[in-house]
Amino acid sequence: CCLGSGLSWEPRSRAVEQVHLRCTEGSLEWVYPARALRVVLEPNLASAQHTTVCIKPASDFQGASIYVERAGQLHLVVSEAEGARPHHVSCFSAHTPQRVALFLQASPQRDISRRTASFQYELLGNQSAAGPDFKKMALVEAMCRPCDNVELLMAICSSDFVVKGSIRNVSHDSENHMSQVDVSVQKVYRQKNRIFQQDEGSGEWRGPIQTLLQCKVKKGGGDFLFTGNEHFGEAWLGCAPRFKDFLLIYQAARERGANQCEFELN
């Protein structure tokens, strides 16, 4: 996370401040934005697989617009007016994966009231981004079809989260074309961040998982193995077989040595 303020700059300086961010995902918060800020994304572990950049402005994004530099030209990615839209994520291809430059232009303002231009970013591989829209990017996680056995065995090894649980509730957001699956968790095998947490009152482990409205997820009984990846602090649904079906698939694969990784069954 990077935090800075436009108030700390020399009033008469016309120089563009520059910030280097060296992680494949992170956030930036620019308080009292003034003039311009150049943000260079150049992760230490940069590789050709990071070919897409996605930006999610904070819900209170104010005071600046975000551009991406391409061949010396600036192309608008997020305008100040768009910043307050919930779930709005902008994705674009990175022509030079090892170094992506963003340009934040502060909006003119007459008063000194606090404004904050903050956003999260992720560098993604081509396989995770099917187009310039976050909903398309999520299609890989929300495949809207059952995974085959090979995909499932890979998912338990490579997913950001793997949890056993049941569906408490499913809610739909037609405006943003998303559904949320609220999960009652029996066991957390893996999670990247603390999306699945224990309720202090009941002691029950719970967590929300996002998917696409078009997947038409419904509440069903029984236990499932939920897998998927995280984007901008949200869990996105990947393979989610019934747990009893997963056990049969995994045990059969283990007997013939076809399992991709060891999985704790007890």
Side-chain angles (χ1 to χ4, degrees):
C1 179
C2 180
L3 172 64
S5 171
L7 296 180
S8 62
W9 300 350
E10 290 294 330
R12 296 175 181 170
S13 171
R14 296 197 174 190
V16 176
E17 292 287 327
Q18 186 158 275
V19 174
H20 292 260
L21 302 179
R22 304 189 184 279
C23 297
T24 55
E25 59 182 87
S27 61
L28 180 138
E29 183 174 351
W30 191 22
V31 184
Y32 297 104
R35 294 182 296 281
L37 178 68
R38 188 170 185 260
V39 181
V40 182
L41 308 179
E42 45 182 5
N44 289 329
L45 300 176
S47 66
Q49 71 181 24
H50 294 120
T51 55
T52 301
V53 179
C54 290
I55 294 173
K56 182 179 183 180
S59 58
D60 60 351
F61 184 97
Q62 278 186 313
S65 294
I66 305 175
Y67 299 80
V68 60
E69 290 184 9
R70 282 202 183 122
Q73 300 290 320
L74 295 179
H75 300 270
L76 182 64
V77 177
V78 177
S79 68
E80 182 176 12
E82 289 180 329
R85 288 168 55 192
H87 303 296
H88 179 68
V89 175
S90 299
C91 299
F92 54 89
S93 60
H95 289 220
T96 53
Q98 288 77 15
R99 186 182 176 92
V100 177
L102 304 175
F103 190 83
L104 277 68
Q105 177 69 57
S107 305
Q109 58 192 63
R110 296 179 180 178
D111 56 63
I112 199 170
S113 59
R114 178 180 170 124
R115 291 173 173 82
T116 303
S118 60
F119 64 88
Q120 296 172 278
Y121 73 91
E122 286 189 15
L123 275 66
L124 302 165
N126 237 2
Q127 68 276 13
S128 297
D133 187 277
F134 180 60
K135 297 180 184 69
K136 292 180 182 177
M137 183 185 79
L139 280 173
V140 173
E141 270 61 71
M143 288 183 284
C144 300
R145 61 174 176 81
C147 296
D148 63 31
N149 292 358
V150 174
E151 290 170 330
L152 174 57
L153 293 170
M154 183 62 70
I156 63 172
C157 304
S158 60
S159 295
D160 290 340
F161 66 88
V162 181
V163 298
K164 176 187 178 182
S166 57
I167 299 175
R168 298 179 69 246
N169 186 45
V170 179
S171 56
H172 304 290
D173 180 353
S174 57
E175 183 178 349
N176 291 296
H177 308 286
M178 290 165 56
S179 297
Q180 178 171 296
V181 183
D182 293 313
V183 175
S184 177
V185 178
Q186 296 177 26
K187 184 174 181 61
V188 177
Y189 293 97
R190 183 191 317 129
Q191 63 172 325
K192 187 177 179 182
N193 296 302
R194 288 182 53 81
I195 290 177
F196 303 96
Q197 298 189 32
Q198 190 173 25
D199 182 80
E200 293 183 0
S202 65
E204 181 185 16
W205 281 78
R206 300 175 180 173
I209 302 177
Q210 311 298 324
T211 187
L212 297 179
L213 187 65
Q214 69 193 55
C215 293
K216 299 179 180 178
V217 175
K218 298 179 181 179
K219 183 177 179 180
D223 296 332
F224 296 83
L225 187 73
F226 297 98
T227 72
N229 289 314
E230 295 180 21
H231 297 295
F232 301 104
E234 295 180 329
W236 282 84
L237 186 63
C239 300
R242 291 193 174 274
F243 193 77
K244 60 182 182 180
D245 296 334
F246 159 70
L247 286 180
L248 294 175
I249 294 169
Y250 178 77
Q251 289 169 341
R254 192 176 183 184
E255 287 176 5
R256 64 178 189 274
N259 54 312
Q260 303 290 333
C261 62
E262 289 296 322
F263 189 79
E264 176 190 358
L265 291 176
N266 297 326

